[in-house]
Amino acid sequence: MSIKKYLSLTLLAGLSWGAHAQTAIQGNASLVHLSLSQAVDIALQHNLTVKSYEVNLKNAELTYQQAKYNQLPSLGGNINQAASFGRSINPYTNGYDSRNINYNNVGLNANLTLFNGGQLRNTLLQNEFALKATQQDLQSMRENIALQVVLSYLSILNAEDQLSIAQAQTEITKLQIDRTQKLVTAGTLPVSNVLDLKAQLANEESNVVSFQSSLDINKLTLQQLLNDSSIRMFDLQRIQVPVPSSKAYDLSVDAIYAKALEIQPLVRAADFRVQGASKGVAVAKAFRLPTLSMSGSWSANQSNALRTIELLGTQTVNLGSVAIGGTSYPVSTVQPKYGEGSTVGYFDQLNNTQNKVISLNLNIPIFAKYANRTRVTQAGLQKENAEIEAERARLTLRQNIEQAYVNMVNAANKYEASSTQVSALEESFRASESRFNAGTIDFVSYNLQKTNLDKARLALIQVKYDFVFRTKILDYYQGKSLTF
């Protein structure tokens, strides 16, 4: 079997093994097969930061809803029950009464703001913009987590490919050792060639351990992003990554930035906060204006001191006397006699004691110790700060896109150069291998050629995935799907 054919078979076997590699911490848990979209969904479902942002969104929704309710009239009721013992004031006669008196009062109060300088309306709009900003914050966090999962997913595939290359190198070296051992046995080559190849194999096996460690770390990173305790052991579905090309991305930096300005959640959130701060200024100015409100109330009371009056009969009342002809005659009259009856019924008392009031109230601010002026100034500063943050978000976005674009182009160029280098080194290595097997060059020259080829192959894998990383970042800024 030729070295080239053996390398191809080993690479395929290595890739298959890499796709099913397990991390050292996974134990005996059942194997879970994950696609990229599944990994993103699981991470979004279990990420604690996303859950915290979702709670913030619910709170913002409640705040906005309450701002709407604040425009409605208010209505309240009250019930008071009192009892006095001993010498008490009768609430109906306003005189002292020696008996125990119970007193009950019920009432309703309503209030409606007719005008307050637009404070309620602008507060509602301010909370609406705050709600929209919070929605964008959540969307930004979800997209950021998705991007992290994609990059981690690709890092694992990159590590698997590099591990496969390293394992293939050791297999080639083992095959070379077998061939060289036969030539040494036949007396064609010195025994030092076998010893040199065994030393090289030991170094390559050390590299395999290093690449395996990198794979384990990358898998642990993805596992932590998933944050799902039921997933302890997994393998990833292989994806077809694009071949790097400096012409693969048709959009310019300006075009990407223009698109990102329209859809990037962080920029939209910053703009909503600027609009909310503008409404905050309007709310602060409203405190300078009069407030007109209408209120109404209804009240009634009841007490055991109010009793019915009963006719007990008649009585003769002596009015005095008159003198007629020197003789005094008594004067009297017959009057009805009344007595205290039973307590008047509860609802009868409420009906008879109703008090209804409706009023218009105008509150005019005259001097509030400069509190209103300070409030307006602070609201203006908050708006200015929101505008600065919005500008900072745009600047950061622009810089990140420019950096990602340059990195993408550089990665594509590096891939083209590395691909050419690998092709040239493969040809050179085949020639060196033939000459080494024939004994026309020493081990040092052979090993140098093989080492250069191995490094070039590993670099080619690395730069390929680096290109994919950069393109996915540019896709992220444009709101494109992060899956393949």
Side-chain angles (χ1 to χ4, degrees):
M1 181 185 296
S2 67
I3 294 294
K4 184 174 181 181
K5 184 176 181 180
Y6 186 85
L7 174 60
S8 300
L9 293 176
T10 307
L11 281 174
L12 291 174
L15 288 173
S16 175
W17 177 91
H20 295 81
Q22 302 173 9
T23 63
I25 67 168
Q26 289 169 338
N28 298 321
S30 59
L31 183 66
V32 178
H33 303 278
L34 292 177
S35 65
L36 180 55
S37 59
Q38 289 173 332
V40 170
D41 292 341
I42 292 173
L44 292 178
Q45 182 180 357
H46 294 88
N47 186 268
L48 296 180
T49 304
V50 170
K51 290 183 177 180
S52 177
Y53 274 63
E54 289 174 345
V55 172
N56 292 340
L57 177 59
K58 291 179 181 178
N59 185 60
E61 290 172 345
L62 289 174
T63 302
Y64 170 67
Q65 192 65 42
Q66 185 57 52
K68 293 175 66 175
Y69 292 152
N70 288 341
Q71 299 178 102
L72 300 176
S74 62
L75 177 65
N78 63 279
I79 300 177
N80 301 313
Q81 178 69 44
S84 61
F85 307 93
R87 193 164 181 265
S88 306
I89 296 179
N90 190 311
Y92 294 100
T93 65
N94 207 31
Y96 287 102
D97 200 324
S98 60
R99 59 184 167 177
N100 297 336
I101 296 178
N102 295 324
Y103 182 81
N104 176 259
N105 175 268
V106 295
L108 291 173
N109 299 280
N111 186 274
L112 173 63
T113 300
L114 300 177
F115 175 78
N116 66 346
Q119 185 179 147
L120 290 175
R121 176 61 181 168
N122 286 316
T123 300
L124 173 62
L125 294 175
Q126 185 180 23
N127 288 325
E128 182 180 6
F129 288 127
L131 172 60
K132 291 180 178 179
T134 305
Q135 290 172 337
Q136 295 301 314
D137 288 339
L138 174 60
Q139 180 63 23
S140 175
M141 179 53 59
R142 291 175 63 86
E143 291 180 359
N144 183 267
I145 295 299
L147 180 62
Q148 291 183 46
V149 172
V150 171
L151 298 184
S152 179
Y153 194 102
L154 292 174
S155 295
I156 292 175
L157 299 185
N158 180 25
E160 288 178 349
D161 287 353
Q162 289 189 322
L163 178 60
S164 299
I165 292 291
Q167 289 175 325
Q169 292 167 357
T170 61
E171 294 301 323
I172 293 174
T173 301
K174 289 178 182 178
L175 181 61
Q176 187 63 37
I177 290 174
D178 292 339
R179 290 182 175 181
T180 303
Q181 183 64 56
K182 294 177 181 179
L183 293 175
V184 169
T185 302
T188 305
L189 294 176
V191 69
S192 60
N193 283 19
V194 174
L195 298 177
D196 290 337
L197 284 172
K198 288 182 177 181
Q200 177 180 317
L201 177 62
N203 183 64
E204 291 174 349
E205 288 176 340
S206 176
N207 290 336
V208 169
V209 173
S210 178
F211 285 122
Q212 178 65 61
S213 177
S214 297
L215 176 59
D216 291 343
I217 292 174
N218 289 332
K219 280 201 166 187
L220 177 60
T221 300
L222 179 58
Q223 187 177 19
Q224 291 174 342
L225 283 172
L226 297 179
N227 194 31
D228 188 345
S229 58
S230 65
I231 300 178
R232 304 300 297 169
M233 185 171 63
F234 61 87
D235 66 358
L236 302 182
Q237 176 183 329
R238 301 293 300 187
I239 57 178
Q240 185 66 37
V241 297
V243 176
S245 171
S246 58
K247 299 179 180 179
Y249 226 91
D250 297 331
L251 296 179
S252 65
V253 171
D254 291 337
I256 296 173
Y257 177 66
K259 180 66 174 178
L261 283 180
E262 298 176 359
I263 63 171
Q264 270 299 300
L266 284 180
V267 174
R268 291 170 60 84
D271 289 341
F272 283 134
R273 290 191 169 92
V274 171
Q275 293 174 283
S278 297
K279 295 303 176 183
V281 174
V283 170
K285 290 180 178 179
F287 283 91
R288 296 173 171 176
L289 302 175
T291 300
L292 178 63
S293 62
M294 181 174 65
S295 60
S297 65
W298 171 89
S299 64
N301 53 68
Q302 177 271 341
S303 174
N304 65 344
L306 182 61
R307 295 178 177 272
T308 60
I309 303 300
E310 295 182 357
L311 179 61
L312 302 178
T314 60
Q315 60 182 352
T316 301
V317 178
N318 185 17
L319 300 177
S321 61
V322 296
I324 303 176
T327 302
S328 179
Y329 297 96
V331 178
S332 62
T333 185
V334 178
Q335 295 180 349
K337 183 179 180 181
Y338 296 98
E340 192 176 71
S342 60
T343 303
V344 177
Y346 181 82
F347 291 102
D348 289 335
Q349 289 193 47
L350 293 185
N351 184 55
N352 295 330
T353 59
Q354 290 187 73
N355 178 40
K356 303 173 184 177
V357 178
I358 186 170
S359 62
L360 286 175
N361 310 293
L362 181 63
N363 181 23
I364 303 175
I366 298 176
F367 179 70
K369 297 177 287 188
Y370 301 106
N372 292 334
R373 185 176 69 179
T374 301
R375 187 181 289 111
V376 173
T377 302
Q378 289 176 331
L381 292 176
Q382 291 175 358
K383 178 186 176 184
E384 182 178 350
N385 188 62
E387 290 172 343
I388 293 173
E389 291 302 317
E391 188 63 28
R392 190 202 307 275
R394 284 172 165 76
L395 178 61
T396 301
L397 178 63
R398 175 79 185 193
Q399 292 173 343
N400 290 341
I401 290 175
E402 290 174 342
Q403 186 64 52
Y405 195 89
V406 170
N407 290 337
M408 181 273 298
V409 173
N410 289 338
N413 292 334
K414 287 181 181 179
Y415 180 83
E416 292 177 359
S418 296
S419 181
T420 302
Q421 182 185 33
V422 168
S423 298
L425 288 174
E426 285 177 344
E427 292 295 329
S428 178
F429 175 71
R430 280 193 289 270
S432 297
E433 185 180 39
S434 299
R435 295 171 63 190
F436 176 73
N437 292 335
T440 57
I441 62 172
D442 57 15
F443 175 78
V444 175
S445 299
Y446 166 80
N447 186 56
L448 179 61
Q449 290 291 336
K450 186 177 186 301
T451 300
N452 290 338
L453 176 58
D454 293 342
K455 289 181 178 179
R457 284 172 174 164
L458 291 173
L460 184 64
I461 294 295
Q462 180 64 47
V463 76
K464 176 182 179 180
Y465 280 97
D466 185 53
F467 170 82
V468 178
F469 293 159
R470 306 306 175 183
T471 55
K472 281 302 169 185
I473 291 175
L474 292 176
D475 289 346
Y476 162 75
Y477 287 127
Q478 298 173 80
K480 294 182 178 180
S481 173
L482 295 177
T483 56
F484 291 83

